[in-house]
Amino acid sequence: MNVRANLYGIFLLLSTLSVNAQDAHEVLERASRAMGVDEMISIQYKGTGWVGAVGQNFTPAMDWPRLELSSYTRTIDFDSMSSTEELVIEQGDYPARGGGGIPIQGQRHRTYKVRGDYAWDMQGDDIVPVMDKAEGRLLDIYLTPYGFIKGAMASDPTVIRRHEYGEWVHVVSFIALDKYRINATFSEEGLMHRIQTWLPNPVVGDMYYETVFSNYKDIGGLRFPGRWHQHHDFDDGDTLPNVSGGDHAFGLENITDVTINVRGAELDVPREVRRADPPEIKVEVTELSEGVWFMGGGSHNSVAIEFDEYIAVFEAPQNEARSLAVIEEIYQLIEDKPIRFIINSHHHWDHLGGLRTYVHEGATVITHDYNKTYYQEVLRARPWLLEPDRYSLFPLEEWSEGYVFETVKEKYILADDSHRVDIHLIQGLNHVEGMLIAYLPDEKMVIEADLYSPRPSNANRPPNASNKTFYENLKRLKLDVETIVPIHGQPTPMSQFVEYMGE
Ligand SMILES: [Zn+2]
Ligand SMILES: [Zn+2]
């Protein structure tokens, strides 16, 4: 191709882009008028609906468990990029199956705030800085129709036109916070139908996110969507077996009030939030018995067990950063042995977020048979663009060969001359299907997750359904236990659990 043809190509490209940007601004201006954004500096809307406990489904094929949102208030100031989200959550009539503290007793109050780079929660009158949440909450302002229109107008938007569900729509797109592509679909009259983006997630990588807006009504002088319907991740229901069924994350169905330009929408960042440091990862090691180490220091523990030739670890919680910190400590304690096995209690995301890290480290996953097809998806070495992990950056060969699983149905034994670990299935739980515990007969220890979490905050609560099912299973399996080693909380004598259960 000669130089002139190249220059012509560039000219054509530039003129298409500028026409496109022009068109995108036209679509946005029409939407801004139609949806009342022109005069809007701040907005407050209230309603009721439901929330999904993302990553906490009963089986991988099921939807996120739902809870009732008995009150929801959102206040956003666009000039200062402040947002306050207040939720009151109850169990309601939704089935009590799944994680996330289900069944909820009484009401759970949540207040989430952000202004610019600062984020904090309110717990009663207490201010709790959550610096690592700021970016996500800021992004969430752009994921409302109003934040999107303002953000896209102030940036370099593009547009395409397509035919969808029987009508022509425009899809406008821009990059928020230099990182997140956000797309919004508008009808010909300028009402937003859908917004979509991808969020970084330690289990599924670039996680699909969308909110669908429908049932537009005249409320508070605006054309306001009467139904907000949000998905986190895809429902894979079209394939059999359904590997990954979780998707419904949030629904606002009865809008009670909408007010624009409200007082007090612009937040002041409290002094303790300005001074707060980002959270650091702490690993605190306790030797429970010879060759058995409790890796605590955070919200989720792991346990390392040293065998003659290798190391086995129970649980890979949270994310890659936590797992790398724990693995580094393990390699300090035990030199020159590889982590050969990672035992996974169950598939809830807070217990799964480090699985890729351990498999990348060379470990084989011991998990219940139910989880295998889902974990094959989780362990796929596709590119993660938003927050790449080691697994996506340096893909491993073993996964594609299918060598990374040992699946358990009822019982699995890991043993040599130094240690023995019996892995058992817990039957009859409402929390999750396929829950595994580890029993160390020589040490008389049981390692468990989410079945009994001895923390000071729990001490005065009556035993819950999981506690009871766990206790029944210990009797059924006739395990001689002296110590319970929980993934949440501190190791506790069995006698304390028996007393707690009222026996
Ligand atoms: Zn769980
Ligand atoms: Zn848990």
Side-chain angles (χ1 to χ4, degrees), residues 56 300 315 346 348 350-351 431 449-450 453 487-488:
Q56 300 289 330
H300 294 64
E315 212 72 316
H346 67 304
H348 288 163
D350 57 318
H351 294 261
H431 185 80
D450 296 356
S453 302
I487 297 306
H488 302 290

Side-chain angles (χ1 to χ4, degrees), residues 8-24 157-160:
Y8 182 67
I10 289 166
F11 172 75
L12 260 187
L13 181 69
L14 285 176
S15 58
T16 323
L17 279 179
S18 61
V19 167
N20 194 280
Q22 184 63 40
D23 288 350
T158 59
V159 67
I160 58 150

Side-chain angles (χ1 to χ4, degrees), residues 98-317:
I102 290 171
I104 290 182
Q105 309 291 336
Q107 289 186 330
R108 198 186 263 179
H109 292 255
R110 295 284 181 268
T111 303
Y112 306 132
K113 290 178 183 271
V114 67
R115 175 174 176 156
D117 296 332
Y118 298 95
W120 65 103
D121 293 350
M122 298 300 298
Q123 289 179 4
D125 291 334
D126 292 342
I127 294 164
V128 182
V130 284
M131 299 306 288
D132 53 335
K133 301 264 167 66
E135 186 173 277
R137 290 186 188 173
L138 206 51
L139 177 66
D140 201 52
I141 296 177
Y142 293 119
L143 296 174
T144 64
Y146 315 98
F148 177 91
I149 291 169
K150 285 181 178 285
M153 279 178 133
S155 88
D156 233 346
T158 59
V159 67
I160 58 150
R161 188 165 178 250
R162 67 184 289 263
H163 201 250
E164 165 180 309
Y165 298 131
E167 62 174 311
W168 289 104
V169 295
H170 284 101
V171 185
V172 177
S173 187
F174 81 106
I175 306 290
L177 308 175
D178 296 328
K179 184 169 169 185
Y180 302 94
R181 169 174 295 281
I182 312 179
N183 309 320
T185 304
F186 294 94
S187 70
E188 297 273 87
E189 53 166 331
L191 299 180
M192 191 183 288
H193 279 350
R194 171 184 294 102
I195 204 158
Q196 58 184 193
T197 192
W198 291 262
L199 303 175
N201 178 280
V203 176
V204 295
D206 298 343
M207 181 181 74
Y208 184 67
Y209 167 108
E210 84 179 345
T211 308
V212 180
F213 307 97
S214 59
N215 295 5
Y216 273 87
K217 293 182 174 131
D218 294 307
I219 316 176
L222 298 182
R223 294 286 289 152
F224 192 89
R227 184 168 185 265
W228 300 46
H229 186 87
Q230 192 177 99
H231 300 140
H232 283 196
D233 207 7
F234 279 112
D235 175 12
D236 193 29
D238 230 21
T239 37
L240 284 172
N242 186 347
V243 167
S244 162
D247 67 334
H248 290 99
F250 176 84
L252 205 54
E253 287 173 350
N254 303 293
I255 311 293
T256 51
D257 289 284
V258 179
T259 318
I260 67 163
N261 303 339
V262 283
R263 276 171 185 277
E266 178 180 353
L267 299 177
D268 289 324
V269 180
R271 196 184 308 159
E272 56 264 60
V273 176
R274 273 187 198 283
R275 287 184 183 159
D277 295 318
E280 55 175 318
I281 298 165
K282 267 192 296 179
V283 182
E284 286 166 7
V285 181
T286 316
E287 188 166 14
L288 297 175
S289 168
E290 200 190 329
V292 181
W293 283 277
F294 181 74
M295 315 299 291
S299 61
H300 294 64
N301 313 311
S302 296
V303 181
I305 304 148
E306 181 180 3
F307 289 82
D308 285 338
E309 307 285 332
Y310 59 83
I311 305 161
V313 177
F314 189 101
E315 212 72 316

Side-chain angles (χ1 to χ4, degrees), residues 256-436:
T256 51
D257 289 284
V258 179
T259 318
I260 67 163
N261 303 339
V262 283
R263 276 171 185 277
E266 178 180 353
L267 299 177
D268 289 324
V269 180
R271 196 184 308 159
E272 56 264 60
V273 176
R274 273 187 198 283
R275 287 184 183 159
D277 295 318
E280 55 175 318
I281 298 165
K282 267 192 296 179
V283 182
E284 286 166 7
V285 181
T286 316
E287 188 166 14
L288 297 175
S289 168
E290 200 190 329
V292 181
W293 283 277
F294 181 74
M295 315 299 291
S299 61
H300 294 64
N301 313 311
S302 296
V303 181
I305 304 148
E306 181 180 3
F307 289 82
D308 285 338
E309 307 285 332
Y310 59 83
I311 305 161
V313 177
F314 189 101
E315 212 72 316
Q318 293 187 295
N319 51 37
E320 182 180 62
R322 173 84 202 163
S323 301
L324 288 175
V326 169
I327 290 170
E328 195 182 309
E329 285 294 328
I330 291 172
Y331 284 155
Q332 300 269 328
L333 295 166
I334 309 164
E335 283 174 27
D336 288 332
K337 288 184 191 177
I339 299 176
R340 181 78 185 80
F341 295 102
I342 177 72
I343 305 162
N344 161 253
S345 66
H346 67 304
H347 79 276
H348 288 163
W349 281 5
D350 57 318
H351 294 261
L352 189 57
L355 196 70
R356 288 166 62 98
T357 318
Y358 281 87
V359 173
H360 196 263
E361 210 55 36
T364 293
V365 181
I366 300 178
T367 189
H368 196 274
D369 194 42
Y370 290 132
N371 298 330
K372 184 174 172 183
T373 46
Y374 180 52
Y375 288 9
Q376 279 173 318
E377 279 302 306
V378 166
L379 292 168
R380 203 179 281 282
R382 62 168 77 83
W384 284 21
L385 302 178
L386 291 166
E387 280 177 16
D389 66 351
R390 289 185 173 191
Y391 201 103
S392 64
L393 291 172
F394 316 108
L396 63 170
E397 164 70 3
E398 299 94 308
W399 170 80
S400 58
E401 301 286 341
Y403 297 149
V404 300
F405 293 103
E406 286 289 316
T407 57
V408 182
K409 285 201 164 94
E410 289 290 329
K411 187 176 180 184
Y412 185 95
I413 299 172
L414 208 56
D416 66 9
D417 291 340
S418 64
H419 282 101
R420 173 176 164 145
V421 177
D422 294 358
I423 296 157
H424 292 281
L425 170 69
I426 296 291
Q427 297 175 350
L429 268 182
N430 291 325
H431 185 80
V432 77
E433 197 158 57
M435 174 70 90
L436 300 180

Side-chain angles (χ1 to χ4, degrees), residues 18-142:
S18 61
V19 167
N20 194 280
Q22 184 63 40
D23 288 350
H25 279 288
E26 276 171 23
V27 173
L28 289 166
E29 277 157 24
R30 187 162 62 230
S32 182
R33 279 193 304 275
M35 297 190 62
V37 181
D38 285 354
E39 311 298 320
M40 190 186 294
I41 296 161
S42 63
I43 189 168
Q44 182 175 73
Y45 48 93
K46 299 182 184 192
T48 61
W50 50 268
V51 285
V54 175
Q56 300 289 330
N57 43 2
F58 182 66
T59 71
M62 288 171 80
D63 200 0
W64 308 136
R66 284 195 200 188
L67 296 164
E68 191 175 310
L69 189 55
S70 48
S71 166
Y72 180 81
T73 305
R74 181 84 186 265
T75 312
I76 304 171
D77 175 69
F78 298 100
D79 282 353
S80 65
M81 289 301 273
S82 303
S83 164
T84 302
E85 210 175 5
E86 294 165 278
L87 301 90
V88 181
I89 298 164
E90 297 175 39
Q91 186 62 42
D93 293 331
Y94 293 105
R97 286 218 299 185
I102 290 171
I104 290 182
Q105 309 291 336
Q107 289 186 330
R108 198 186 263 179
H109 292 255
R110 295 284 181 268
T111 303
Y112 306 132
K113 290 178 183 271
V114 67
R115 175 174 176 156
D117 296 332
Y118 298 95
W120 65 103
D121 293 350
M122 298 300 298
Q123 289 179 4
D125 291 334
D126 292 342
I127 294 164
V128 182
V130 284
M131 299 306 288
D132 53 335
K133 301 264 167 66
E135 186 173 277
R137 290 186 188 173
L138 206 51
L139 177 66
D140 201 52
I141 296 177
Y142 293 119

